Amino acid sequence: SSTTITLGGVATQDLSATDAISAWAITTGSTGTVIADVDTGVRFDHPDLLRAGVGAGFGGRLLPGYDFVGEDLNPTTGAALGTFLIANDGDGWDPDPSDPGDWINSTDQQNKVLFPSANCPISDSSWHGTRVMGVLGALTNNGVGIAGMTWNPYLLPVRALGKCGGYDSDIIAGMQWAVGMTVMDSSGNNVPDNPYPADIINLSLGGTGS
């Protein structure tokens, strides 16, 4: 398409671009709104995000969240493998959605079951969830980094992706938990309900093949 629009006085053909400056003249987001990001987790120590001040006064944006990256599964049979290599944090579902990194190295590539080299090239950690959280709601007017698209809502990290991606089942569980639905783990036990149900869920997800 040859369609061109003008944003901030600049002509662009990127029709997905957002005119944030004009939008902020209308609203910078409502206090109390919760935006969940189902992603790789988040770095809680990031200086332009930080933990939210819900009853604690930390002054950041991040709610506690939850980790839904589960046990490794055999891609052919679906059987549990007893390892947590995709999770990369040594365990399965738990209340810590911190991102431990999703790098792929030569040792990972030797595992042809979970990390086939065609789909998972050697790479550094993406820190994708933290980057997306920054776009959604990095702290504003603080002289650090960028200004998030929203200035007031809380951000809820829901970790569902690890090394080389993740499983649809974990993503779906994360989405359900994010909106306040009761979620059951593989042992038949209920995960603690989300005390901060999301008004909005962001899914910056992609994939290849069937």
Side-chain angles (χ1 to χ4, degrees):
S1 173
S2 60
T3 302
T4 300
I5 60 175
T6 300
L7 289 176
V10 178
T12 179
Q13 291 184 324
D14 184 358
L15 302 187
S16 65
T18 302
D19 188 0
I21 294 175
S22 297
W24 290 334
I26 302 170
T27 180
T28 54
S30 302
T31 301
T33 299
V34 175
I35 304 173
D37 182 33
V38 180
D39 211 304
T40 65
V42 72
R43 295 289 301 269
F44 280 96
D45 60 348
H46 194 287
D48 214 15
L49 292 169
L50 302 177
R51 293 182 185 271
V54 179
F58 294 115
R61 308 294 302 280
L62 298 169
L63 294 168
Y66 211 87
D67 177 7
F68 286 97
V69 183
E71 187 175 5
D72 301 323
L73 303 177
N74 184 304
T76 302
T77 66
L81 296 175
T83 59
F84 299 93
L85 300 179
I86 291 174
N88 200 29
D89 61 359
D91 57 26
W93 293 11
D94 63 36
D96 180 9
S98 300
D99 188 347
D102 58 3
W103 73 87
I104 297 292
N105 59 26
S106 58
T107 301
D108 295 322
Q109 287 198 332
Q110 292 173 23
N111 185 328
K112 300 301 183 183
V113 174
L114 291 177
F115 306 119
S117 58
N119 294 332
C120 302
I122 291 175
S123 63
D124 294 330
S125 293
S126 68
W127 309 118
H128 189 267
T130 301
R131 290 192 295 138
V132 171
M133 283 292 197
V135 172
L136 293 174
L139 295 170
T140 54
N141 296 325
N142 63 346
V144 176
I146 64 171
M149 295 292 290
T150 60
W151 297 11
N152 294 302
Y154 291 120
L155 303 176
L156 181 71
V158 182
R159 185 171 184 250
L161 302 174
K163 284 178 171 253
C164 202
Y167 300 114
D168 289 346
S169 54
D170 290 341
I171 294 169
I172 293 167
M175 293 169 62
Q176 292 172 327
W177 182 86
V179 297
M181 295 173 64
T182 297
V183 175
M184 188 178 297
D185 65 20
S186 59
S187 299
N189 300 312
N190 288 342
V191 172
D193 288 341
N194 174 17
Y196 309 107
D199 302 287
I200 300 165
I201 297 180
N202 181 80
L203 299 168
S204 297
L205 308 175
T208 59
S210 59

